[in-house]
Amino acid sequence: MKIERLAIPEVILLTPPRFADARGFFSETFNAARVREAGIEGDFIQDNHSFSAARFTIRGLHCQIAPAIQGKLVRCVRGAIFDVAVDLRVGSPSYGRHVSAVLSAENWSQLWIPGGFLHGFCTLEPESEVIYKVTAPYDRAAERGVIWNDPTLAIPWPAPAEAVVLSDKDRVLPPLAEVTPWFRAGG
């Protein structure tokens, strides 16, 4: 498995090998020992599967606070997405900064987003499917978010604003300046 730390080193891009032949391919997409060797802590307890029909669907920016803080291992198994992680750990040298990666069925990469980060993605192709493992169960009471186009974050989304498809919930998320700090670096 190829392992690459991004500009915020806690966010890790993993690319499992695919072994192809005339029948198709085989890939070990998750191995707990290899994931731990990469520095990813936490036990995965739930898998989620997301389907987005339209290109330029944005889901996010979301997180969960204590007691249900989630780390996520995200992969795209159909289509392609622009995946984003925003550091919300107050006291972190990268607080308020983001990193991104294109995840696709073609490149087969996965992105590890630890707890303390916002997560969101934009579909680059119609009918994109995303599967992600999480380290805590979904908890509606712990769910938080920040508006996708917050000018303070300046995320270079690959979609024109007028073409973006959002849920009603994501459309009314607050800007970062209006939220109470949810996470602290080192804790």
Side-chain angles (χ1 to χ4, degrees):
M1 184 173 297
K2 180 181 171 190
I3 298 164
E4 176 187 349
R5 292 190 179 274
L6 300 186
I8 299 174
E10 295 89 348
V11 181
I12 303 169
L13 191 66
L14 301 102
T15 306
R18 283 194 284 197
F19 304 98
D21 62 23
R23 300 168 295 169
F25 72 85
F26 170 83
S27 181
E28 182 181 83
T29 61
F30 177 78
N31 179 302
R34 293 286 291 145
V35 165
R36 274 194 286 286
E37 288 171 14
I40 296 172
E41 300 294 326
D43 294 324
F44 293 103
I45 56 96
Q46 180 176 307
D47 280 1
N48 298 326
H49 190 140
S50 164
F51 170 78
S52 298
R55 181 179 185 211
F56 300 146
T57 296
I58 292 182
R59 295 179 183 264
L61 299 160
H62 305 141
C63 67
Q64 286 194 179
I65 62 170
I69 297 171
Q70 287 183 333
K72 296 178 181 180
L73 183 60
V74 182
R75 65 190 181 113
C76 183
V77 297
R78 181 177 174 193
I81 63 170
F82 174 80
D83 206 32
V84 177
V86 179
D87 189 350
L88 281 193
R89 300 167 301 156
V90 173
S92 165
S94 54
Y95 175 80
R97 288 186 21 225
H98 68 274
V99 290
S100 63
V102 171
L103 307 180
S104 69
E106 184 177 325
N107 71 21
W108 211 236
S109 293
Q110 302 177 44
L111 193 64
W112 164 246
I113 301 153
F117 284 72
L118 288 168
H119 173 248
F121 64 84
C122 176
T123 59
L124 301 174
E125 298 178 12
E127 299 188 352
S128 290
E129 291 188 58
V130 175
I131 296 175
Y132 53 101
K133 296 181 168 310
V134 295
T135 58
Y138 172 73
D139 179 353
R140 173 173 264 139
E143 186 177 31
R144 299 292 185 275
V146 169
I147 192 73
W148 69 280
N149 60 351
D150 184 322
T152 315
L153 299 177
I155 296 169
W157 295 101
E162 64 277 2
V164 167
V165 178
L166 296 168
S167 70
D168 290 342
K169 179 180 75 170
D170 287 352
R171 191 179 321 278
V172 297
L173 289 171
L176 182 59
E178 292 180 13
V179 303
T180 305
W182 298 313
F183 308 105
R184 300 249 175 246

